[in-house]
Amino acid sequence: MNAAIRKKVHHFNIPGQAHELTFSCYRRLPLLSRDRTRRWIIESIEAARKNRGFAVLAFVIMPKHVHIIVYPSDQPYDIAWFLKGIKQPVSRKAHAWLLKNDQQWLEKLTLVRTDGLRVFRFWQAGGGYDRNIDRQATLRQMIEYIHNNPVRRGLVDRAVEWPWSSASWYERRECILEMDPLP
């Protein structure tokens, strides 16, 4: 089997369905363990929401990956375009920051392709995970599942204690990122 083959995520842009998206840091490194990079994610989600026509229903930023549930506001839509709107700005900011502040980490996140080209990677290749959600009960289960991620990982005792998620919005309408109402 060819080790260069990678899984490709298939997106299904179906009107009326939410998407639960998961994407991971390069080599599953904890690149989102600092507030600086987590703020970059928040900024990118907010910009992608406004510029690309999506409602944000829930999210959690973990040290090694991100979960987000979104609902398209516009039709037709392209979920891959929305994902690019989140991931690309974060990668660019990380590259610029590392170039100026930490050359050693810059090298760790740079790979040399078979053609010799050096490529900076902040995100794991392959597109992540995209699950369409077509039922309200499933949507609520997925929201609860992603909110409990920090609890399962031992980062907090209760989901609402993790500041980098929308769990507190669902409990007391306070959140680091503006949330949209459920469809």
Side-chain angles (χ1 to χ4, degrees):
M1 185 169 155
N2 185 348
I5 295 174
R6 67 179 191 198
K7 292 187 340 183
K8 180 171 174 34
V9 70
H10 295 283
H11 299 289
F12 298 97
N13 300 312
I14 302 172
Q17 293 187 3
H19 291 260
E20 190 273 316
L21 307 169
T22 302
F23 44 98
S24 299
C25 297
Y26 181 60
R27 294 184 176 161
R28 309 283 194 271
L29 292 167
L31 302 178
L32 300 172
S33 59
R34 298 199 185 262
D35 288 353
R36 171 186 61 246
T37 49
R38 292 186 281 228
R39 279 192 297 273
W40 294 341
I41 289 282
I42 295 295
E43 292 166 4
S44 289
I45 291 171
E46 185 60 38
R49 161 206 269 141
K50 289 179 181 174
N51 298 331
R52 302 196 178 195
F54 282 83
V56 177
L57 307 180
F59 75 95
V60 64
I61 302 169
M62 299 296 291
K64 299 178 183 181
H65 67 281
V66 175
H67 293 282
I68 184 169
I69 299 176
V70 297
Y71 187 84
S73 305
D74 300 333
Q75 302 298 330
Y77 71 95
D78 184 354
I79 197 68
W81 191 53
F82 176 78
L83 265 172
K84 184 177 180 179
I86 294 173
K87 293 167 67 174
Q88 198 171 63
V90 173
S91 185
R92 286 183 180 145
K93 288 177 183 180
H95 184 265
W97 192 92
L98 291 170
L99 193 60
K100 184 178 178 182
N101 298 292
D102 196 337
Q103 290 287 323
Q104 186 175 7
W105 263 100
L106 183 63
E107 282 302 311
K108 288 180 185 179
L109 301 178
T110 300
L111 66 94
V112 180
R113 295 186 345 188
T114 55
D115 63 4
L117 184 66
R118 296 174 57 80
V119 180
F120 175 77
R121 300 290 297 176
F122 188 87
W123 302 108
Q124 187 70 21
Y129 177 80
D130 177 2
R131 175 183 179 180
N132 286 60
I133 303 171
D134 61 352
R135 297 178 185 199
Q136 282 292 325
T138 305
L139 177 60
R140 293 190 185 285
Q141 289 172 343
M142 291 308 302
I143 290 170
E144 186 175 329
Y145 172 82
I146 70 169
H147 285 163
N148 280 307
N149 222 264
V151 175
R152 285 191 300 277
R153 300 291 175 153
L155 298 172
V156 291
D157 292 327
R158 297 178 50 237
V160 296
E161 296 170 359
W162 187 247
W164 303 101
S165 89
S166 55
S168 62
W169 188 83
Y170 281 88
E171 185 170 295
R172 56 183 182 266
R173 298 293 190 241
E174 296 173 5
C175 187
I176 194 165
L177 176 67
E178 180 184 342
M179 301 307 301
D180 296 301
L182 295 177

PDB file of all heavy atoms in Angstrom, residues 134-145:
ATOM      1  N   ASP A 134     -29.194  15.900  10.011  1.00  0.00           N
ATOM      2  CA  ASP A 134     -30.502  16.207   9.427  1.00  0.00           C
ATOM      3  C   ASP A 134     -31.654  16.124  10.417  1.00  0.00           C
ATOM      4  O   ASP A 134     -32.798  16.350  10.052  1.00  0.00           O
ATOM      5  CB  ASP A 134     -30.773  15.296   8.236  1.00  0.00           C
ATOM      6  CG  ASP A 134     -30.817  13.815   8.584  1.00  0.00           C
ATOM      7  OD1 ASP A 134     -30.492  13.462   9.743  1.00  0.00           O
ATOM      8  OD2 ASP A 134     -31.172  13.008   7.709  1.00  0.00           O
ATOM      9  N   ARG A 135     -31.366  15.834  11.684  1.00  0.00           N
ATOM     10  CA  ARG A 135     -32.424  15.726  12.692  1.00  0.00           C
ATOM     11  C   ARG A 135     -32.075  16.558  13.918  1.00  0.00           C
ATOM     12  O   ARG A 135     -30.923  16.602  14.351  1.00  0.00           O
ATOM     13  CB  ARG A 135     -32.609  14.276  13.119  1.00  0.00           C
ATOM     14  CG  ARG A 135     -33.055  13.391  11.990  1.00  0.00           C
ATOM     15  CD  ARG A 135     -33.173  11.967  12.443  1.00  0.00           C
ATOM     16  NE  ARG A 135     -33.493  11.157  11.277  1.00  0.00           N
ATOM     17  CZ  ARG A 135     -34.003   9.968  11.340  1.00  0.00           C
ATOM     18  NH1 ARG A 135     -34.237   9.419  12.508  1.00  0.00           N
ATOM     19  NH2 ARG A 135     -34.264   9.307  10.247  1.00  0.00           N
ATOM     20  N   GLN A 136     -33.089  17.193  14.497  1.00  0.00           N
ATOM     21  CA  GLN A 136     -32.876  18.020  15.693  1.00  0.00           C
ATOM     22  C   GLN A 136     -32.307  17.203  16.849  1.00  0.00           C
ATOM     23  O   GLN A 136     -31.434  17.685  17.565  1.00  0.00           O
ATOM     24  CB  GLN A 136     -34.196  18.682  16.120  1.00  0.00           C
ATOM     25  CG  GLN A 136     -34.585  19.883  15.293  1.00  0.00           C
ATOM     26  CD  GLN A 136     -33.645  21.057  15.513  1.00  0.00           C
ATOM     27  OE1 GLN A 136     -33.142  21.292  16.605  1.00  0.00           O
ATOM     28  NE2 GLN A 136     -33.395  21.799  14.455  1.00  0.00           N
ATOM     29  N   ALA A 137     -32.784  15.985  17.036  1.00  0.00           N
ATOM     30  CA  ALA A 137     -32.291  15.152  18.141  1.00  0.00           C
ATOM     31  C   ALA A 137     -30.806  14.851  17.958  1.00  0.00           C
ATOM     32  O   ALA A 137     -30.028  14.904  18.917  1.00  0.00           O
ATOM     33  CB  ALA A 137     -33.092  13.847  18.238  1.00  0.00           C
ATOM     34  N   THR A 138     -30.395  14.563  16.742  1.00  0.00           N
ATOM     35  CA  THR A 138     -28.975  14.302  16.458  1.00  0.00           C
ATOM     36  C   THR A 138     -28.155  15.560  16.667  1.00  0.00           C
ATOM     37  O   THR A 138     -27.057  15.510  17.225  1.00  0.00           O
ATOM     38  CB  THR A 138     -28.804  13.784  15.016  1.00  0.00           C
ATOM     39  OG1 THR A 138     -29.636  12.634  14.826  1.00  0.00           O
ATOM     40  CG2 THR A 138     -27.356  13.427  14.727  1.00  0.00           C
ATOM     41  N   LEU A 139     -28.685  16.694  16.245  1.00  0.00           N
ATOM     42  CA  LEU A 139     -27.989  17.973  16.431  1.00  0.00           C
ATOM     43  C   LEU A 139     -27.725  18.226  17.913  1.00  0.00           C
ATOM     44  O   LEU A 139     -26.604  18.547  18.304  1.00  0.00           O
ATOM     45  CB  LEU A 139     -28.813  19.117  15.827  1.00  0.00           C
ATOM     46  CG  LEU A 139     -28.263  20.526  16.012  1.00  0.00           C
ATOM     47  CD1 LEU A 139     -26.884  20.671  15.388  1.00  0.00           C
ATOM     48  CD2 LEU A 139     -29.240  21.547  15.425  1.00  0.00           C
ATOM     49  N   ARG A 140     -28.723  18.047  18.732  1.00  0.00           N
ATOM     50  CA  ARG A 140     -28.550  18.262  20.182  1.00  0.00           C
ATOM     51  C   ARG A 140     -27.549  17.269  20.785  1.00  0.00           C
ATOM     52  O   ARG A 140     -26.741  17.643  21.630  1.00  0.00           O
ATOM     53  CB  ARG A 140     -29.901  18.196  20.889  1.00  0.00           C
ATOM     54  CG  ARG A 140     -30.797  19.363  20.497  1.00  0.00           C
ATOM     55  CD  ARG A 140     -32.053  19.471  21.338  1.00  0.00           C
ATOM     56  NE  ARG A 140     -32.929  20.514  20.861  1.00  0.00           N
ATOM     57  CZ  ARG A 140     -32.745  21.814  21.026  1.00  0.00           C
ATOM     58  NH1 ARG A 140     -31.698  22.243  21.674  1.00  0.00           N
ATOM     59  NH2 ARG A 140     -33.609  22.695  20.552  1.00  0.00           N
ATOM     60  N   GLN A 141     -27.574  16.028  20.334  1.00  0.00           N
ATOM     61  CA  GLN A 141     -26.601  15.032  20.804  1.00  0.00           C
ATOM     62  C   GLN A 141     -25.182  15.425  20.406  1.00  0.00           C
ATOM     63  O   GLN A 141     -24.252  15.302  21.201  1.00  0.00           O
ATOM     64  CB  GLN A 141     -26.920  13.646  20.242  1.00  0.00           C
ATOM     65  CG  GLN A 141     -28.139  12.998  20.828  1.00  0.00           C
ATOM     66  CD  GLN A 141     -28.516  11.715  20.095  1.00  0.00           C
ATOM     67  OE1 GLN A 141     -28.086  11.464  18.980  1.00  0.00           O
ATOM     68  NE2 GLN A 141     -29.350  10.915  20.750  1.00  0.00           N
ATOM     69  N   MET A 142     -25.005  15.903  19.184  1.00  0.00           N
ATOM     70  CA  MET A 142     -23.670  16.298  18.714  1.00  0.00           C
ATOM     71  C   MET A 142     -23.165  17.525  19.471  1.00  0.00           C
ATOM     72  O   MET A 142     -21.975  17.617  19.777  1.00  0.00           O
ATOM     73  CB  MET A 142     -23.691  16.567  17.204  1.00  0.00           C
ATOM     74  CG  MET A 142     -23.897  15.320  16.362  1.00  0.00           C
ATOM     75  SD  MET A 142     -22.747  13.969  16.749  1.00  0.00           S
ATOM     76  CE  MET A 142     -21.177  14.740  16.472  1.00  0.00           C
ATOM     77  N   ILE A 143     -24.047  18.460  19.778  1.00  0.00           N
ATOM     78  CA  ILE A 143     -23.654  19.632  20.560  1.00  0.00           C
ATOM     79  C   ILE A 143     -23.160  19.184  21.934  1.00  0.00           C
ATOM     80  O   ILE A 143     -22.102  19.610  22.395  1.00  0.00           O
ATOM     81  CB  ILE A 143     -24.816  20.647  20.664  1.00  0.00           C
ATOM     82  CG1 ILE A 143     -25.059  21.299  19.298  1.00  0.00           C
ATOM     83  CG2 ILE A 143     -24.530  21.702  21.738  1.00  0.00           C
ATOM     84  CD1 ILE A 143     -26.337  22.128  19.219  1.00  0.00           C
ATOM     85  N   GLU A 144     -23.917  18.318  22.576  1.00  0.00           N
ATOM     86  CA  GLU A 144     -23.517  17.808  23.894  1.00  0.00           C
ATOM     87  C   GLU A 144     -22.196  17.035  23.803  1.00  0.00           C
ATOM     88  O   GLU A 144     -21.316  17.190  24.647  1.00  0.00           O
ATOM     89  CB  GLU A 144     -24.614  16.907  24.466  1.00  0.00           C
ATOM     90  CG  GLU A 144     -24.318  16.461  25.880  1.00  0.00           C
ATOM     91  CD  GLU A 144     -25.458  15.668  26.496  1.00  0.00           C
ATOM     92  OE1 GLU A 144     -26.628  15.923  26.160  1.00  0.00           O
ATOM     93  OE2 GLU A 144     -25.147  14.797  27.324  1.00  0.00           O
ATOM     94  N   TYR A 145     -22.053  16.235  22.757  1.00  0.00           N
ATOM     95  CA  TYR A 145     -20.826  15.454  22.574  1.00  0.00           C
ATOM     96  C   TYR A 145     -19.601  16.361  22.456  1.00  0.00           C
ATOM     97  O   TYR A 145     -18.599  16.154  23.138  1.00  0.00           O
ATOM     98  CB  TYR A 145     -20.947  14.557  21.336  1.00  0.00           C
ATOM     99  CG  TYR A 145     -19.642  13.880  20.988  1.00  0.00           C
ATOM    100  CD1 TYR A 145     -19.249  12.722  21.647  1.00  0.00           C
ATOM    101  CD2 TYR A 145     -18.792  14.418  20.027  1.00  0.00           C
ATOM    102  CE1 TYR A 145     -18.042  12.118  21.349  1.00  0.00           C
ATOM    103  CE2 TYR A 145     -17.585  13.824  19.724  1.00  0.00           C
ATOM    104  CZ  TYR A 145     -17.211  12.667  20.387  1.00  0.00           C
ATOM    105  OH  TYR A 145     -16.006  12.081  20.092  1.00  0.00           O
TER     106      TYR A 145
END
